[in-house]
Amino acid sequence: MNLNNLFPHQKSFIEHCRNVQHLSEYSIGMINSDIGNFWKYYSVKFPNDTNIKSVTSSDIRDYLIQLDQKEHLSKKTINKYLSYLKKYFVFLTENKFINSYPLFNLKGISFQRRETIIINWMPYISQFLDSDIHSETMKLLIVISLGYDLDQLLKVRWLDVSDKLNDSGLKKFLFDNLTFDKTPNPYIFQGKRVARYTSIDRITSKTKKDQKIIDFPINPRKLRQSYVLSIISKQDLSDEQLLSKLHISRKSLGYYKFCSNYYHLAPYKKATSSQLGY
């Protein structure tokens, strides 16, 4: 069996399968290979965030969809892969290699059902200004709506965005929620002891508290995905224009085009005042 660091904590997990669960060498080989394939997929998709703690159920669902649509594996085989991944993440959780088990809501998947992704929410950000939404959530919505990707998110400063914001209310909100006492050009996501946040997890931990108020996913990855799909779904830009506007590779463009055809894309509908908690 090839044990060449195919995925995080591989050696201890394989030992667990062999010595605690007493699985056959054939089963262990299949598990080792399939989890290795998932981690290869994840590492390519998120090259700057290859931390096992960052994996979400959505990431795993996307991987299974790839197996269905691009590798044309049977539903039975795909759900067997899911069982291997569940076994792996249970092991990681029980041994405190990750903070929480990410797959509570991911059961055997019927691939006739397509996930719905809300798009075109960007023009409606200002409707949240007078609600009880956390300031970091507003900042995230604004920065993602301006086209910044996750690699850029923590590096964005006031002068990067001030001239790009046409909405005076959003511009005033950002200005009022930044500290300019140490620099005229502060980071949008400011730290209290350091100049800026060093982890997207800091943002996610704050924004998730507002999910009950906003009726589309507001974690950074999902927001970026829906932003990109909003642009691609308009179908009025050439591939070259999309590459320039979105600052993505051709490989990523191909993936997002696949997503735009695979998922059900639903335009955002402006929420009522009662939904926003006014």
Side-chain angles (χ1 to χ4, degrees), residues 1 6 22 38 40 49 86 113 119 130 142 154 183 185 193 203 205 210 212 221 241 244-245 248 259 261 265:
M1 185 186 302
L6 297 179
H22 305 293
F38 164 73
K40 181 179 179 180
D49 190 19
K86 285 186 173 183
R113 297 172 61 186
I119 60 172
D130 296 324
I142 292 169
L154 302 180
T183 172
N185 189 25
R193 298 182 179 178
I203 301 174
S205 67
D210 294 327
K212 63 182 181 296
R221 285 180 184 163
Q241 289 172 317
S244 176
K245 182 176 181 63
I248 57 178
C259 289
N261 291 320
L265 305 183

Side-chain angles (χ1 to χ4, degrees), residues 1-18 28-37 39 52 88 91-92 97:
M1 185 186 302
N2 182 10
L3 293 175
N4 292 323
N5 298 317
L6 297 179
F7 51 87
H9 308 290
Q10 179 185 14
K11 183 177 180 180
S12 54
F13 175 63
I14 295 302
E15 289 177 350
H16 170 81
C17 291
R18 181 180 291 120
I28 291 173
M30 291 293 293
I31 292 171
N32 188 66
S33 175
D34 293 338
I35 295 176
N37 287 337
W39 189 246
I52 193 65
Y88 173 57
F91 167 79
L92 295 179
F97 292 129

